[in-house]
Amino acid sequence: MTRASSLSLMLAGAAIAVGGAFTIAGLNPMGSQVGAAVAAAAPAVPVVSTGADAAHPTVVELFESQGCSDCPPANANVNALAARPDVLALNFAVTYWDQLGWKDTFAKPAYTARQWDYANAAGRGQVATPQVIINGGGTVVGSNPQNLARAIKENARGLGGPTIAAMNGKVTVGKGSGNATVWAVQYDPRTLTVPIRAGENGGRTLDHRNVVRSLVALGSWNGAPVSFSVPAPSDGAYRSAILVQQGKGGKIIAAARI
């Protein structure tokens, strides 16, 4: 993944056009002014059909950092998706921007490791922000709303996969085929407003939704029904979801809010 070529500043009072570039930590020649302009100009994400529903949501994972000036538009796009019942939008804050002027208030090494799992599974030699992974497969720059909507449509999972049922602190993954890891995710559905006091976004105030606060592997599923105890949310405001995922960095074959 490389930076620069597809992010262009159109002069003479025109608009910002965001294409397919990622920002690699420490290699952002345009700085926070471009990120601020993009955030102000970013249109809404077009609504596309996923074939999913509230019981079988499309999983949209954003990997971003408060220290990355290209991340606020992607953050805004995923914030908007968080309201859709057929989409499970998850905001994973990564750590590799933390040494560049601002330490992300939500970042954890486990989230950086998850992004690396996706990179390694796809044969990519580096990670970058703002990256969105759809259903564990499709990859897109999250700052471009049209590209994001297209990727969501192209990587839709529909209503397939094993059933997921939760009751009395346990979750059961039903019958199916294949092998997978069952993950429990805790996330905060509230809008969390963070003033950024240094780094590329210094002086800005950023809104976050569905910030992931915990990611725990519950165990394995091999096609036979299996049940797991699910950790209780550490905060009463947090919500939980289950992801059934084929291996490290593999496709998500089932997901549910519980």
Side-chain angles (χ1 to χ4, degrees), residues 48-78:
V48 294
S49 174
T50 63
D53 61 17
H56 309 81
T58 292
V59 181
V60 174
E61 300 177 58
L62 169 64
F63 294 92
E64 58 89 26
S65 173
Q66 295 164 0
C68 159
S69 66
D70 284 344
C71 287
N75 226 14
N77 289 337
V78 174

Side-chain angles (χ1 to χ4, degrees), residues 201-213:
N201 289 317
R204 302 183 63 185
T205 299
L206 304 180
D207 289 339
H208 306 68
R209 289 188 67 184
N210 287 17
V211 172
V212 174
R213 307 309 303 239

